[in-house]
Amino acid sequence: FCSASVTRTRCAYAMRLLWIFLGLAIGTQGDEKTHRYDQGEAVVVWGGKVGPYHNPHETYTYDSMPLCDLEGVETEQKSATFGEALAGHNLLKLPKFQIKFGEGSLSTEVCTKTLSNEDAESLSSMIDEHWYTGLHVDELPLYLLVGFAEDGRADRAQARMVFTHREFVIAKNEDRIISVDVDPSSPVQVSPGASLRFTYGVRWVESSVAFEDRFQ
């Protein structure tokens, strides 16, 4: 790590700084640190990178989306793990998603939004460019498209649809989360003045996969 030209004192100081940095990077909030949850304990949802699916080098932070997930809440940034930092993730807490460990829900409102001309134009461009949104739950990354364009529509402006419902399907093994999937649904046409009601649901399933094998 240190060259021969670096004094032993300076090398030790640099190593201490490195371990402090790694400790900060690895530290997380709540039970994401232990990856163990009690029944009913909060499971945090984080907003990650967003951008066009076909250009992974073009990415933006979650709060650049013209949605309402973060409207009216104080932005809280996660202390990234070492792997998250290397991947360039800048995670923002999404407190409107109130997921409780082991407790399902059919449909809970996140927020409502009336699209301005600028919002509709921005969302339309994102749908045309196949933008995705990135979410993280218990350090598991998820990616889902913002919306889609309906085939067969003569008027392209009436073909763009944004997903307004997200169903989290979370697999657990005892007190640990093994996998998380998100199924988007309830598309609504994108147009100026459109009133959107965003919701989410949660469904828990049992898994026999060991926690140590969840990334395999």
Side-chain angles (χ1 to χ4, degrees):
F1 177 78
C2 299
S3 64
S5 62
V6 178
T7 65
R8 182 174 301 177
T9 301
R10 289 181 178 178
C11 181
Y13 177 72
M15 287 295 293
R16 284 198 297 271
L17 288 179
L18 176 61
W19 283 113
I20 291 173
F21 168 76
L22 290 175
L24 291 174
I26 294 172
T28 58
Q29 299 188 13
D31 277 275
E32 290 178 332
K33 180 182 294 185
T34 63
H35 300 287
R36 293 184 181 277
Y37 298 85
D38 293 328
Q39 179 73 18
E41 192 165 2
V43 177
V44 179
V45 180
W46 301 90
K49 296 188 293 186
V50 303
Y53 180 79
H54 298 294
N55 185 6
H57 300 293
E58 182 184 354
T59 60
Y60 305 89
T61 57
Y62 194 90
D63 55 357
S64 63
M65 296 287 293
L67 303 178
C68 52
D69 295 8
L70 289 169
E71 286 185 358
V73 299
E74 185 176 350
T75 302
E76 180 181 341
Q77 184 172 338
K78 180 185 177 184
S79 297
T81 65
F82 189 62
E84 288 167 347
L86 288 178
H89 292 299
N90 182 15
L91 304 180
L92 302 177
K93 188 176 183 178
L94 304 180
K96 295 182 181 181
F97 291 89
Q98 297 286 323
I99 297 179
K100 305 295 184 183
F101 188 83
E103 298 182 2
S105 64
L106 292 177
S107 182
T108 303
E109 182 177 295
V110 178
C111 56
T112 59
K113 184 179 184 68
T114 300
L115 297 181
S116 65
N117 290 338
E118 184 179 355
D119 292 334
E121 182 178 351
S122 180
L123 273 177
S124 295
S125 296
M126 291 176 177
I127 290 170
D128 288 342
E129 296 174 4
H130 306 288
W131 273 47
Y132 67 89
T133 58
L135 301 174
H136 289 242
V137 177
D138 198 55
E139 297 182 7
L140 295 170
L142 317 163
Y143 301 97
L144 58 154
L145 291 175
V146 173
F148 65 98
E150 285 187 323
D151 295 330
R153 289 261 192 167
D155 187 348
R156 180 72 174 178
Q158 297 181 359
R160 301 183 184 95
M161 312 291 286
V162 60
F163 293 116
T164 62
H165 182 77
R166 285 165 275 191
E167 182 178 8
F168 291 82
V169 181
I170 308 177
K172 67 181 182 71
N173 187 342
E174 296 183 353
D175 60 350
R176 292 180 179 269
I177 293 176
I178 303 302
S179 67
V180 185
D181 290 315
V182 179
D183 296 327
S185 60
S186 301
V188 175
Q189 181 180 317
V190 175
S191 61
S195 180
L196 306 180
R197 179 176 180 266
F198 292 95
T199 59
Y200 72 95
V202 182
R203 181 162 56 92
W204 293 86
V205 296
E206 296 294 332
S207 174
S208 60
V209 175
F211 176 80
E212 295 74 14
D213 299 328
R214 69 175 186 163
F215 285 108
Q216 296 183 7

